[in-house]
Amino acid sequence: MSYIPRYVMKRMVAEDALKQVPGGVELSIVNQVATLPVDAIPGNPATFFTVKLNGKQLPPADMERIVITVDDTAYPLPKIQEATEIPTGAALKFFFPLEGVKMGEELKIELHVPEINADIELVRKIC
């Protein structure tokens, strides 16, 4: 399993990186790991990885509603390959559809990418 050290995760995802927005939450990240060749994702990116929010896996319909903004250009997850690659240092925002959350609550976000055997888990308070 791939591992991102905690000190790198702290630089990638600030403590106030999770915001409540209409229809869900938005997570801001700065890519500190490597250039990500998103145009190489096979098939539908919404089926390339799984997302759990507070331990509950997002269903396929909600995965299709994830939006990733790369340096001010928004891509629905199924079309993220149009971004071609995400360079190191790029600012990313992930919109996750999620109802019933409130500011001040903690949210546990888990991403699992089986193709590259990577797991990312973080907990942030909703701002």
Side-chain angles (χ1 to χ4, degrees), residues 15-33:
E15 288 299 318
D16 63 350
L18 188 61
K19 310 258 189 262
Q20 184 176 18
V21 296
V25 294
E26 185 176 79
L27 179 68
S28 297
I29 296 177
V30 176
N31 178 16
Q32 297 285 322
V33 179

Side-chain angles (χ1 to χ4, degrees), residues 19-26 53-54 56 58-59 62 65 95-103 105-107 126:
K19 310 258 189 262
Q20 184 176 18
V21 296
V25 294
E26 185 176 79
L53 302 175
N54 283 339
K56 184 177 177 187
L58 284 182
D62 285 349
R65 294 177 48 217
F95 166 79
F96 297 106
L98 183 63
E99 298 297 329
V101 293
K102 297 179 182 144
M103 288 178 52
E105 292 180 342
E106 283 193 340
L107 180 67
I126 300 171

